[in-house]
């Protein structure tokens, strides 16, 4: 996870906790900052931007510390907060089922192993880095009967099976999606939900209306308001929102959002 920098800065050069999928496009940078203008030009070439992110993560160690950008010590706190949030979702009406879950940007399977597999009958993973996929299969060997398919794919290309998943979990990965691809990802995931199902996103957010861009791993950290606008465009509504607590103060604020498709009359 990125060390929290001043939101007055156009660019955050630190490393962020993210499982590789695809990079995100920055549309909110200050037009008066030459550095930001150069970055806008860079982001117009989404193919190179995606490839840069893929290259970055191909050199990251397939360990919990590697997945969490050197902040492996927060993994327990993170999982505990997610579990508490998940429990609250099952008080919703209708509550999701507990048959199938999907771990998006799964890395080496940290979230699947510690959160999703104990909760669900079957869990699929989608992860862009082949080495991480191989490590995940080894890490999750004890869950053979519950482990479904490990899809080696970026989220910009992944299409969930329609009506399959009770919970789709996407954590620290949407910062690698362009705005357009994020919207289309939500649209596809909505179709992938089973009756009563939910999407959960857990992400870093800036404390201002400025998007922080990380050249190192080709990712962005968006304002919460901008994410909600993308969700609306993707036909999703927020049914529950909660901030993760007990993280180091230097880190970005992290929020969990539970989503359901917007019902149109």
């Amino acid at each position: 996870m990125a060390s929290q920098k001043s939101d007055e800065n156009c660019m955050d050069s630190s490393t962020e906790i993210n499982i590789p999928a695809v990079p995100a496009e920055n549309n909110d940078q200050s037009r008066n900052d030459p550095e930001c203008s150069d970055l806008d030009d860079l982001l117009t070439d989404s193919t190179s931007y995606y490839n840069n992110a893929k290259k970055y993560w191909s050199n990251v160690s397939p360990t919990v510390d590697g997945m969490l950008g050197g902040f492996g010590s927060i993994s327990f706190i993170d999982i505990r907060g997610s579990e508490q949030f998940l429990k609250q979702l099952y008080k919703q009406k209708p509550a999701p089922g507990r048959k199938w879950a999907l771990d998006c940007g799964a890395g080496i399977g940290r979230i699947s192993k510690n959160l999703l597999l104990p909760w669900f009958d079957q869990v699929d993973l989608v992860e862009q880095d082949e080495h991480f996929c191989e490590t995940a299969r080894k890490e999750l060997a004890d869950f053979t009967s519950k482990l479904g398919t490990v899809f080696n794919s970026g989220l910009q290309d992944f299409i969930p099976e329609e009506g399959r998943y009770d919970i789709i979990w996407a954590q620290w990965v949407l910062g690698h999606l362009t705005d357009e691809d994020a919207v289309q990802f939500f649209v596809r995931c909505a179709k992938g939900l089973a009756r009563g199902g939910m999407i959960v996103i857990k992400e870093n957010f800036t404390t201002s209306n400025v998007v922080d861009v990380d050249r190192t791993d080709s990712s962005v950290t968006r304002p919460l308001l901008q994410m909600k606008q993308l969700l609306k465009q993707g036909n999703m509504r927020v049914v529950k929102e909660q901030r993760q607590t007990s993280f180091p103060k230097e880190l970005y604020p992290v929020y969990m959002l539970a989503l359901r498709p917007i019902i149109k009359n």
Side-chain angles (χ1 to χ4, degrees):
M1 175 179 291
S3 299
Q4 186 171 314
K5 303 289 185 73
S6 170
D7 287 330
E8 294 177 357
N9 294 331
C10 168
M11 183 172 63
D12 179 6
S13 60
S14 56
T15 302
E16 182 162 317
I17 298 181
N18 269 326
I19 308 305
V22 286
E25 180 177 283
N26 174 21
N27 294 321
D28 289 341
Q29 300 303 324
S30 170
R31 302 300 174 182
N32 297 320
D33 190 324
E35 218 173 26
C36 292
S37 297
D38 291 343
L39 197 53
D40 284 342
D41 293 338
L42 174 65
L43 295 179
T44 59
D45 184 0
S46 60
T47 299
S48 295
Y49 197 41
Y50 290 150
N51 287 339
N52 289 340
K54 187 173 183 178
K55 182 179 179 180
Y56 170 84
W57 285 101
S58 69
N59 293 308
V60 170
S61 172
T63 62
V64 170
D65 210 43
M67 298 300 95
L68 300 185
F71 285 88
S73 60
I74 71 168
S75 183
F76 174 78
I77 299 172
D78 167 56
I79 295 295
R80 184 177 60 184
S82 296
E83 184 175 26
Q84 291 172 348
F85 187 71
L86 194 56
K87 287 179 180 178
Q88 294 176 32
L89 300 187
Y90 281 85
K91 297 177 182 179
Q92 298 273 336
K93 295 182 180 180
R98 293 183 63 168
K99 185 176 181 181
W100 279 99
L102 176 66
D103 184 357
C104 295
I108 63 171
R110 180 185 71 92
I111 294 169
S112 288
K113 181 178 183 178
N114 297 295
L115 177 68
L116 300 178
L117 282 163
W119 268 76
F120 296 92
D121 294 340
Q122 299 286 323
V123 177
D124 291 342
L125 288 71
V126 55
E127 168 53 50
Q128 154 172 288
D129 187 273
E130 186 176 358
H131 191 196
F132 292 168
C133 288
E134 293 173 358
T135 303
R137 292 185 183 99
K138 294 176 183 177
E139 288 289 323
L140 305 177
D142 291 342
F143 295 93
T144 302
S145 63
K146 302 182 73 174
L147 180 62
T149 303
V150 180
F151 297 98
N152 185 196
S153 173
L155 294 188
Q156 80 277 21
D157 299 318
F158 182 71
I159 302 175
E161 179 182 333
E162 290 193 17
R164 181 179 183 88
Y165 297 107
D166 299 300
I167 291 289
I168 296 177
W169 194 279
Q171 179 167 344
W172 285 322
V173 67
L174 299 180
H176 283 296
L177 282 168
T178 66
D179 287 353
E180 181 179 355
D181 282 341
V183 169
Q184 293 306 311
F185 171 72
F186 297 137
V187 170
R188 294 194 302 272
C189 284
K191 295 178 181 178
L193 290 175
R195 185 178 180 84
M198 294 184 184
I199 301 169
V200 177
I201 66 172
K202 187 170 185 177
E203 292 289 337
N204 297 340
F205 293 101
T206 67
T207 55
S208 71
N209 62 352
V210 177
V211 177
D212 286 347
V213 180
D214 189 337
R215 282 181 179 265
T216 305
D217 65 357
S218 284
S219 70
V220 299
T221 304
R222 298 177 172 97
L224 184 57
L225 179 59
Q226 187 193 47
M227 176 60 76
K228 290 181 177 179
Q229 291 170 344
L230 296 179
L231 290 170
K232 186 175 181 180
Q233 293 175 40
N235 198 38
M236 302 302 299
R237 61 189 174 94
V238 178
V239 297
K240 189 167 184 60
E241 173 182 326
Q242 184 174 311
R243 181 172 178 175
Q244 170 71 48
T245 60
S246 302
F247 274 1
K249 292 182 179 180
E250 67 267 24
L251 302 182
Y252 281 112
V254 174
Y255 283 85
M256 295 169 278
L257 305 177
L259 317 170
R260 275 188 163 141
I262 297 171
I263 300 174
K264 294 183 178 181
N265 296 326

